[in-house]
Amino acid sequence: MNSTHPDILALITTLKMAGITTIILMLIGTPLAWFLAKMKSRGKVFIEALVALPLVLPPTVLGFYLLLLFSPQYLPGQIWQETTGQQLAFSFSAIVIGSVLYSLPFVVQPLQKAFEQLGDDLLEAAAMLGASAFDRFFTIVLPITKASFITAASLGFAHTVGEFGVVLMIGGNIPGETRVLSIALFDHVEAFDYAQAHIISISLVVSSLVLLSLIYLLNRPNKSRPTKKNQTKSKRLS
Amino acid sequence: MADLSINVRVEHDDFHLSINEKISLTGITGVFGHSGSGKSTLLKVIAGLEKHAQGKLVINDLLESDILLDSEAKIFIASQQRNIGLVFQNSRLFPHLSVEENLRYGQKRKKNIERNKPLDFTEIVALTKLDNLLSKSVAQLSGGEQQRVALARALLAEPRLLLLDEPLSALDDKNKSLMLTLLAKVQKQLNLPMLYVSHSLAEIQQLANNLLVLSSGKVTHYGDIHQVIHQLTTNNEILHQTSLSLTVKEHLAEYGLTSLALGDQQILMSLNQQIESDANTNTNVRCIIAASDISVTLHEPSESSIVNHLQGTITSFEPCQSQVLLTVNCSGQDFFVNITAWSAQRLSLIVDQKVFIQFKANSVRTLR
C-alpha cells in the first residue's frame, strides 16, 4: 500500500466509497421511492421533506450531527462499537453511511417520479393476468422505468464522488480509509501544490462530464416512448 | 350451474355500494347503470382491485365453492390468484412488449393448467384477427387493434370469468360493431362467462342474456335481458323501447332487406353485412325498436311505403303526460308504442282492441 501514490489511493478509496454507497442507495432508495409514490396520507409531505433535506442543508450540518451520533458517547456509535469492536466515527463505514444519507434525494426523487408516472393501470392489468407483486416489479416496473434507475444510480454515484463536507466532518483524513479525492485536492491547495491539484480537478471535471453525458444519452430514446404512446392515445380518444 | 354470490359493501366518503345478489355465470351478464351508479366499482370488487370492500364474495362451481372475499374471516384473495380476466376501457397494453409478448404474458402465468385442455395460441390469434400484428409494437396499433389485443391477452390467461369494463367506449362505430361481433363469437366458442359493464343499453342488448341494473350503488333489476328492458320501459326509467331476439328467415339482398320471423308474421329490417356474413340462417338477431318509431292503425294498411305491419292486441294503455304508452301483443311478443293522447282519443283505443302496428325497416336497429 505504501508504494501506491497517495492520490491513486484516494481515487481507489473514492471509487470504493461511491460504489458501495450506490449499491446501498439503490437497495434502500427503491422501496422508499415506491412507498412515497403510492402513499396518499398527509405524512408523505414530511417524509419527502426529510429525504430532500440534504439538498438544502450545508453538508457540514449533516456531518456535525452524524459525528455526534457515531461517537462512542451516543447510542448508535456505542452499539456499533460493541458489535464490531471498532469505533464508527472516522472510519470507512462512517463515510459510507454519511454518503448514503447525503445522496439519498438524488436516488429517491427520480425513482419516485418514474413510479408516479407509471401509475397503477399497467400493474392492475398485470395482476389480472396472474402476475404477483414481485413478478410485476421485475417484468413491468423495472423494464419501463429502466432509464430512471440508471439516472438514479449515476446521480447517486456522481454526487457521492463529489462530496466533501460530510466526509471531512465524520471521516477525517486517513489515507486508504477516509481520504477521498475531494479531500486530497483540498490538501494540495493548502500546500500550494497547484500542479497536483490541477490533475485531480481536471480529471474530476472530465469524468463527471462523461458520466452525465452518458446519462442523458441513455435517457433519450426511452423518454420519447411515453410521449409517443400518449399521442396515439389522444388520437384514439379524439 | 356456476354462479357468483355477491354480498358486499364499499364505503367511500361520497359513495356507497351495497349489493346482495346471486349472479348466474352463464353466457354474458350485462351490468347497466349511469356514471356514478357503482358498476365499475362492482367490477373492481370482483376483480380484487378494490381493497376496501367488506362482506362476502363467492364463486360457486358445480363441485366447489371458492371464497374470493370474506371480510369477517379476513379472507382476501389477491387479484392475481382469482383467475378472473379483465378487459379495461383503455386497453392497458404493456408498452415495452410487442403484441405477441403482450399476448404471452397472461398465457405464461395462467392458473388452471390442470383443469382444461389449453387454449391454442394460434386459434385465439386467428379468432381475434391479430395474425399480421404479432411482431408489431403496441404504439403502432389503432384503437380497435389495441382492444382486440387486450381481449386476446385476457382470453389466453384462461380465466374462469371475464370482466369487461366499457370495452367499446374508446372505439368508433365501425370498430364497435366489429368488437361486438367478436365478443359474441368468443363467448359462443369458448363458452366463457362474461360480465359486461356499460352505460350503453344498446351495447348490452346486443350481447347479454341477463341484465343487472345498478343505481346509486344498489341493484334495481336483475333478470332476463328482454324482460328487464321491458320493466325499465314500463317504469319510464329509459326511453321506451322494445327489445327483441329474432331468427333470420331469409336475406332479400336485391331489396337490401332481411326478413325476421315473429310467429307466423315477419319483420323486415335493413340488410346488415355483419349479419349476412354469418351465412347460416337460423342466426339470432338482437334488435331494438323505439316506441316513438311505431304507429297504430285500425285497418291493415295496403297502400303504404311502411314495410312492417303486424296484427296485435292492445294489452295495456298508460297515459304518460301528453302521450300514451301502449303495449301491443303481436304473436306473443309485446311491443311498446308511443302515440299522442290526441291520436289515442281520435282512434278511441281501448285495452283488448285488435289493431295493426306499423314501422319502417330502418327503425329496427341493431348495433352490428
Side-chain angles (χ1 to χ4, degrees):
Chain A
M1 284 291 250
N2 287 340
S3 61
T4 331
H5 188 282
D7 285 354
I8 299 292
L9 197 60
L11 174 68
I12 293 168
T13 309
T14 305
L15 293 178
K16 208 170 104 186
M17 172 185 76
I20 294 173
T21 300
T22 308
I23 293 169
I24 296 173
L25 272 174
M26 296 312 287
L27 293 177
I28 297 174
T30 307
L32 181 58
W34 185 264
F35 175 71
L36 284 173
K38 301 295 163 195
M39 197 173 165
K40 284 185 185 103
S41 77
R42 274 181 219 150
K44 174 180 176 169
V45 187
F46 179 72
I47 302 176
E48 278 179 318
L50 206 63
V51 170
L53 211 53
L55 290 176
V56 292
L57 223 51
T60 40
V61 172
L62 185 65
F64 172 62
Y65 284 117
L66 286 179
L67 181 63
L68 290 182
L69 286 176
F70 289 175
S71 72
Q73 279 87 352
Y74 286 85
L75 193 62
Q78 226 172 12
I79 293 171
W80 183 277
Q81 195 147 9
E82 273 164 22
T83 43
T84 65
Q86 278 159 341
Q87 184 183 302
L88 182 54
F90 307 115
S91 70
F92 180 74
S93 306
I95 60 170
V96 168
I97 297 173
S99 305
V100 166
L101 292 173
Y102 185 51
S103 299
L104 195 60
F106 290 85
V107 169
V108 171
Q109 286 184 350
L111 289 181
Q112 187 188 339
K113 214 175 138 203
F115 295 156
E116 280 168 356
Q117 260 176 9
L118 180 67
D120 288 332
D121 278 16
L122 297 178
L123 298 173
E124 286 181 356
M128 295 313 295
L129 293 168
S132 66
F134 200 68
D135 191 358
R136 296 197 289 271
F137 181 79
F138 284 102
T139 56
I140 308 293
V141 179
L142 203 56
I144 294 179
T145 59
K146 190 174 60 193
S148 299
F149 272 91
I150 294 170
T151 304
S154 314
L155 285 179
F157 185 86
H159 189 248
T160 305
V161 168
E163 91 175 59
F164 176 73
V166 179
V167 177
L168 192 68
M169 292 293 275
I170 59 177
N173 193 354
I174 306 162
E177 177 83 13
T178 62
R179 187 171 186 264
V180 292
L181 277 181
S182 56
I183 287 171
L185 171 64
F186 184 70
D187 283 350
H188 290 313
V189 175
E190 275 213 310
F192 296 105
D193 185 358
Y194 282 15
Q196 204 58 36
H198 266 308
I199 295 176
I200 296 180
S201 299
I202 219 56
S203 32
L204 275 178
V205 168
V206 170
S207 56
S208 301
L209 198 63
V210 168
L211 182 63
L212 287 175
S213 308
L214 275 175
I215 298 175
Y216 287 119
L217 188 73
L218 276 167
N219 265 336
R220 222 177 31 179
N222 277 15
K223 272 219 170 119
S224 67
R225 195 189 281 156
T227 36
K228 224 191 264 166
K229 198 195 143 211
N230 287 343
Q231 272 167 8
T232 50
K233 210 182 216 174
S234 55
K235 222 189 286 162
R236 179 159 53 96
L237 290 173
S238 63
Chain B
M1 198 85 78
D3 63 48
L4 176 65
S5 122
I6 307 169
N7 186 357
V8 290
R9 293 174 310 283
V10 180
E11 310 265 330
H12 288 308
D13 294 340
D14 49 347
F15 174 75
H16 300 278
L17 180 84
S18 171
I19 290 178
N20 189 356
E21 196 74 56
K22 201 173 232 193
I23 296 178
S24 144
L25 291 184
T26 41
I28 302 180
T29 302
V31 180
F32 171 70
H34 301 291
S35 52
S37 60
K39 53 193 192 310
S40 287
T41 308
L42 171 63
L43 222 55
K44 279 182 140 186
V45 169
I46 299 170
L49 297 173
E50 174 61 64
K51 304 278 188 292
H52 303 292
Q54 299 286 311
K56 220 171 165 184
L57 185 69
V58 184
I59 287 192
N60 300 303
D61 220 326
L62 280 173
L63 304 168
E64 49 175 9
S65 295
D66 200 350
I67 299 171
L68 301 180
L69 168 76
D70 187 345
S71 54
E72 258 174 47
K74 299 223 181 316
I75 298 174
F76 179 89
I77 306 299
S79 302
Q80 63 265 24
Q81 267 139 19
R82 293 192 177 191
N83 190 22
I84 291 175
L86 177 50
V87 176
F88 300 88
Q89 185 172 350
N90 49 348
S91 50
R92 301 198 189 182
L93 302 180
F94 304 131
H96 60 297
L97 302 178
S98 70
V99 169
E100 174 159 5
E101 287 165 333
N102 264 281
L103 296 179
R104 298 269 188 206
Y105 193 92
Q107 196 188 30
K108 277 185 215 155
R109 291 166 175 80
K110 67 184 172 197
K111 297 281 183 275
N112 64 342
I113 304 158
E114 74 287 352
R115 229 180 283 174
N116 294 317
K117 83 171 173 65
L119 281 181
D120 186 24
F121 182 81
T122 47
E123 192 187 309
I124 296 295
V125 167
L127 186 65
T128 46
K129 300 194 182 71
L130 295 172
D131 316 67
N132 299 323
L133 303 175
L134 288 179
S135 58
K136 280 202 175 176
S137 112
V138 204
Q140 292 171 281
L141 303 180
S142 72
E145 289 167 343
Q146 289 187 8
Q147 268 321 53
R148 289 203 324 263
V149 175
L151 174 65
R153 183 176 71 171
L155 293 176
L156 283 163
E158 295 184 32
R160 53 181 160 179
L161 167 66
L162 183 64
L163 310 173
L164 300 126
D165 189 7
E166 306 261 10
L168 309 186
S169 63
L171 305 181
D172 56 30
D173 286 347
K174 185 177 156 255
N175 277 306
K176 252 183 206 167
S177 126
L178 284 172
M179 194 76 178
L180 276 172
T181 311
L182 176 61
L183 281 170
K185 207 162 149 188
V186 163
Q187 146 64 23
K188 218 188 245 173
Q189 271 192 27
L190 305 182
N191 196 23
L192 170 67
M194 299 184 191
L195 232 61
Y196 186 101
V197 161
S198 180
H199 64 273
S200 156
L201 192 58
E203 265 175 35
I204 293 176
Q205 195 263 356
Q206 288 297 306
L207 288 172
N209 343 58
N210 288 313
L211 176 58
L212 181 84
V213 183
L214 286 179
S215 175
S216 319
K218 294 203 162 53
V219 175
T220 55
H221 300 86
Y222 174 61
D224 171 78
I225 177 90
H226 301 303
Q227 277 170 21
V228 173
I229 291 179
H230 195 291
Q231 273 170 22
L232 290 170
T233 293
T234 43
N235 295 358
N236 295 317
E237 287 177 50
I238 50 170
L239 282 178
H240 300 155
Q241 54 190 277
T242 306
S243 171
L244 299 161
S245 217
L246 298 171
T247 318
V248 172
K249 231 160 83 180
E250 56 181 331
H251 295 293
L252 310 166
E254 66 271 40
Y255 298 115
L257 293 170
T258 297
S259 161
L260 307 170
L262 176 76
D264 50 351
Q265 310 192 69
Q266 69 164 357
I267 292 180
L268 292 169
M269 68 180 287
S270 308
L271 184 87
N272 177 301
Q273 279 170 345
Q274 282 295 333
I275 296 167
E276 196 195 10
S277 66
D278 270 0
N280 50 348
T281 44
N282 287 338
T283 310
N284 249 305
V285 173
R286 303 278 187 98
C287 50
I288 280 178
I289 309 169
S292 55
D293 282 342
I294 308 182
S295 60
V296 177
T297 62
L298 296 177
H299 306 286
E300 176 154 26
S302 51
E303 294 177 330
S304 168
S305 71
I306 296 175
V307 295
N308 290 303
H309 21 87
L310 305 172
Q311 191 177 26
T313 314
I314 297 176
T315 56
S316 133
F317 185 100
E318 294 286 331
C320 179
Q321 282 143 18
S322 60
Q323 300 261 312
V324 172
L325 177 67
L326 297 176
T327 312
V328 180
N329 191 291
C330 308
S331 304
Q333 170 68 49
D334 279 341
F335 286 83
F336 290 109
V337 182
N338 258 6
I339 55 171
T340 56
W342 190 70
S343 299
Q345 202 172 19
R346 201 168 52 96
L347 300 176
S348 44
L349 298 175
I350 49 160
V351 173
D352 287 338
Q353 189 176 355
K354 292 230 181 305
V355 290
F356 287 88
I357 60 169
Q358 54 176 4
F359 47 93
K360 292 183 163 194
N362 274 334
S363 57
V364 184
R365 299 212 180 95
T366 172
L367 273 190
R368 286 214 253 165

